[in-house]
Amino acid sequence: MTHYFKYKREKTGTCNICLAQSKLTWDHIPPKGGIKLSEVEQKNILQHLTDSKNNNYVLSQNGVKYRTICSTCNNGLLGAKYDVVLNAFANELSLFLKTSLQIPQVVKFKTQPAMIIKCIIGHLLAAKGDLENNLIDHHFRDYFLDDSKVVPAYYKVFYWVYPYNSIKIIRDIGMPSIRGDFKSKFSMFSTLRYFPIAFLITDAEEYSGLNEMSKYCSRSIEDFVEIPIDFTKIFDENWPEYGENNFIMGGESLQSGVSAVPRVKHNRIK
Ligand SMILES: [Zn+2]
């Protein structure tokens, strides 16, 4: 079965974030400045998980992007406020990984965790080719557009080191809240992963012992806090959606889920 990657709508439409009728702009995920934008081969996430050899990819010249949000949300909010913080954090971690001869077990990084969570949630809202209005979108919009909300109600944000060059973006999948326990309650998960960091947003209380970023947020979204990065917890590239003892359920938004890898340039031999 072939799955297509749905990442854009008409040039004008309803913004996935503020719901205004507007000209729709391209949102880069991860944001520009935190990753070297190269040509990527992007595949629908289901295609990737069920048939990884299938070559049914879409090429994109400058990274993964979705045409789903207005310019105010894209440039005024994400670009001007939140991307800068996420990029600084990702760049610092990336430099640390690339230049340290010995990686300790845990290192603390000073950042603005609530700004990072705003950023991740904003981009995850953009990562749906079709406008959806489910409860999660509703909660995410409510949180993203209100500066007085430091952490999202009902959700926790977990993070871990992601030492792979692929980009994974998945919205709204259901999985057992305790990994491997099919009798445990089902929880909803969304994830964004790219070198060097992965995020998982869920209504589960905890997941596989991951560090929780939302726990480090304090009173204002702008507060700086030192957050620990645990270098001993490394998971597979396709974790958590894939792997033994797990299964996932998803709806429409899986069409907009993506697995992308930088295109390898072959030097032509003359
Ligand atoms: Zn908007």
Side-chain angles (χ1 to χ4, degrees):
M1 192 177 165
T2 307
H3 298 278
Y4 295 96
F5 176 42
K6 171 111 177 116
Y7 60 99
K8 62 175 178 180
R9 292 207 294 281
E10 299 298 316
K11 287 185 175 161
T12 307
T14 309
C15 169
N16 271 19
I17 296 180
C18 69
L19 300 178
Q21 285 296 316
S22 178
K23 192 172 165 284
L24 296 174
T25 58
W26 290 102
D27 183 36
H28 290 262
I29 312 179
K32 281 182 271 184
I35 189 170
K36 216 171 111 232
L37 289 179
S38 61
E39 196 173 27
V40 290
E41 297 174 357
Q42 37 188 27
K43 263 187 200 180
N44 173 283
I45 192 71
L46 282 180
Q47 194 79 65
H48 171 72
L49 291 175
T50 53
D51 181 9
S52 61
K53 299 226 163 48
N54 187 304
N55 271 329
N56 186 29
Y57 58 75
V58 183
L59 271 182
S60 172
Q61 298 277 309
N62 47 1
V64 178
K65 52 194 195 301
Y66 294 81
R67 187 170 66 200
T68 54
I69 58 174
C70 77
S71 157
T72 309
C73 289
N74 196 349
N75 305 313
L77 289 172
L78 283 166
K81 276 172 90 174
Y82 305 126
D83 287 354
V84 197
V85 179
L86 175 64
N87 288 344
F89 171 69
N91 287 334
E92 195 187 343
L93 178 56
S94 159
L95 190 70
F96 183 85
L97 281 169
K98 286 174 181 165
T99 54
S100 303
L101 295 176
Q102 260 190 329
I103 309 259
Q105 290 192 342
V106 178
V107 176
K108 286 194 167 169
F109 287 79
K110 197 172 187 179
T111 184
Q112 293 163 291
M115 301 275 273
I116 291 180
I117 296 174
K118 288 271 181 197
C119 190
I120 300 302
I121 292 209
H123 287 294
L124 285 173
L125 275 166
K128 281 190 177 179
D130 285 316
L131 181 74
E132 276 193 90
N133 258 322
N134 69 17
L135 194 61
I136 303 174
D137 290 307
H138 178 76
H139 288 153
F140 280 9
R141 280 184 198 119
D142 211 40
Y143 161 73
F144 180 79
L145 294 168
D146 184 347
D147 273 4
S148 71
K149 294 188 169 131
V150 178
V151 287
Y154 319 113
Y155 304 92
K156 293 197 164 162
V157 181
F158 299 100
Y159 65 103
W160 66 100
V161 174
Y162 186 75
Y164 308 103
N165 68 357
S166 57
I167 299 166
K168 312 276 180 184
I169 305 166
I170 309 170
R171 279 292 314 269
D172 305 353
I173 50 171
M175 303 195 293
S177 55
I178 300 170
R179 198 166 179 89
D181 181 356
F182 295 158
K183 286 191 184 131
S184 66
K185 161 174 104 66
F186 249 64
S187 288
M188 295 304 290
F189 297 82
S190 293
T191 179
L192 166 59
R193 311 197 294 274
Y194 65 98
F195 183 82
I197 189 87
F199 298 93
L200 185 69
I201 299 171
T202 172
D203 56 0
E205 281 301 302
E206 53 177 7
Y207 196 73
S208 290
L210 292 173
N211 256 326
E212 183 195 332
M213 188 168 280
S214 28
K215 192 172 82 182
Y216 300 108
C217 298
S218 51
R219 250 172 290 164
S220 136
I221 57 166
E222 275 160 25
D223 286 348
F224 280 87
V225 185
E226 285 199 325
I227 65 162
I229 303 287
D230 184 345
F231 292 100
T232 62
K233 263 194 176 306
I234 308 285
F235 295 91
D236 183 82
E237 193 171 1
N238 294 306
W239 190 91
E241 64 275 5
Y242 190 72
E244 276 177 25
N245 294 323
N246 190 43
F247 69 95
I248 65 168
M249 293 192 338
E252 277 294 287
S253 57
L254 275 179
Q255 284 184 27
S256 301
V258 71
S259 173
V261 284
R263 186 164 214 207
V264 180
K265 293 222 166 70
H266 298 283
N267 290 325
R268 215 176 278 163
I269 299 161
K270 287 183 184 164

